[in-house]
């Protein structure tokens, strides 16, 4: 089956239209999976931080318990020394015991100071810890919302995309290999995915450069496949796109 140039152009433009529709669907869906992945990372990061804070808080609380036990021990020793002081035999013994009581009293003071410091640390860390917990909760909510959006959009667009893909595959069979390869190369090189474009206000609607009047005439005649001198995209006239739209 030998196609006329006009038929070739129509087939190319039709394929482009289908591909553009698929591109749009993917664009709509495109950013959501990334947003979901970012939120998942953030939630995981917060969970790790919270775990770490919790561990630090537990350690500090343990340290307070240890200090409190040390105080009890020192108090017991002081009591013991004070009992012994009641029946000292000589000055030397008296001095030694008094010295011991002093040492234990100092030990108690050190422990009390440490306990106050740990208490201050706990208050500070608890604030950070609670802020992280609140952040985690709000991030988890955001994640749920985004996941829901992604699921809805995926469900809504998947069928449409599949149908369009099927159509585009069928449309590709209507185009000779040489042209199809050229089309695909153009499409992959263009960041807007456009390989076949119309004349819009005397310009190429792919790169917006002006098209000389004679060239526009040639394009409208549909006797030759004409590409833009600037960007290399295949050019079709507006009327052709309307004719195609009417056919569908
Ligand atoms: Zn161009």
């Amino acid at each position: 089956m030998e196609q006329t140039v006009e038929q070739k152009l129509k087939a190319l433009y039709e394929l482009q239209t289908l591909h553009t529709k698929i591109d749009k669907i993917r664009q709509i869906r495109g950013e959501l999976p990334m947003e979901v992945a970012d939120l998942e990372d953030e939630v995981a990061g917060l969970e790790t931080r919270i775990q770490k804070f919790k561990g630090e808080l537990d350690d500090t609380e343990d340290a307070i318990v240890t200090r409190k036990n040390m105080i009890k021990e020192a108090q017991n020793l002081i009591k013991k020394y004070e009992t012994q002081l009641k029946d000292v035999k000589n000055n030397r013994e008296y001095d030694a015991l008094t010295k011991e009581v002093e040492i234990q009293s100092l030990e108690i003071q050190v422990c009390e100071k440490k306990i106050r410091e740990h208490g201050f640390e706990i208050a500070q860390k608890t604030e950070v810890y609670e802020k992280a917990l609140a952040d985690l909760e709000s991030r988890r909510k955001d994640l749920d919302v985004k996941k829901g959006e992604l699921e809805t959009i995926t469900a809504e667009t998947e069928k449409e995309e599949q149908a369009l893909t099927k159509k585009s595959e069928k449309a590709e069979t209507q185009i000779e290999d040489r042209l199809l390869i050229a089309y695909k190369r153009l499409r992959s090189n263009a960041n807007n995915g456009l390989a076949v474009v119309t004349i819009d206000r005397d310009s190429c609607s792919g790169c917006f450069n002006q098209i000389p009047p004679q060239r526009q005439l040639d394009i409208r005649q549909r006797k030759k496949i004409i590409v833009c001198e600037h960007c290399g995209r295949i050019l079709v006239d507006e009327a052709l796109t309307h004719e195609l739209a009417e056919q569908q």
Side-chain angles (χ1 to χ4, degrees), residues 197 204-209 228-233 235:
V197 293
C204 161
S205 64
C207 69
F208 309 109
N209 278 297
C228 170
E229 295 170 295
H230 303 279
C231 66
R233 290 183 176 94
L235 285 159

Side-chain angles (χ1 to χ4, degrees), residues 31 51 86-87 104 118 140 171-172 201 212 243 247:
E31 278 164 19
Q51 209 69 39
K86 281 173 192 157
D87 34 30
Q104 293 309 318
H118 288 324
R140 275 192 180 140
E172 282 185 16
R201 273 167 284 176
E243 286 164 31
Q247 277 172 27

Side-chain angles (χ1 to χ4, degrees), residues 215-231:
R215 210 169 170 80
Q216 289 188 42
L217 262 175
D218 293 342
I219 292 162
R220 290 199 183 91
Q221 293 209 317
R222 305 176 194 167
K223 296 286 179 222
K224 258 189 352 185
I225 290 176
I226 294 171
V227 299
C228 170
E229 295 170 295
H230 303 279
C231 66

Side-chain angles (χ1 to χ4, degrees), residues 14 19 34 71 78 85 98 104 140 144 147 166:
E14 201 183 345
H19 280 156
M34 272 195 297
I71 290 175
I78 289 172
L85 269 171
T98 312
Q104 293 309 318
R140 275 192 180 140
D144 282 347
K147 268 188 176 166
K166 230 179 187 175

Side-chain angles (χ1 to χ4, degrees), residues 186-204:
L186 277 167
R187 207 171 116 74
S188 63
N189 287 341
N191 51 19
N192 55 8
L194 292 177
V196 185
V197 293
T198 55
I199 307 170
D200 185 22
R201 273 167 284 176
D202 300 323
S203 303
C204 161

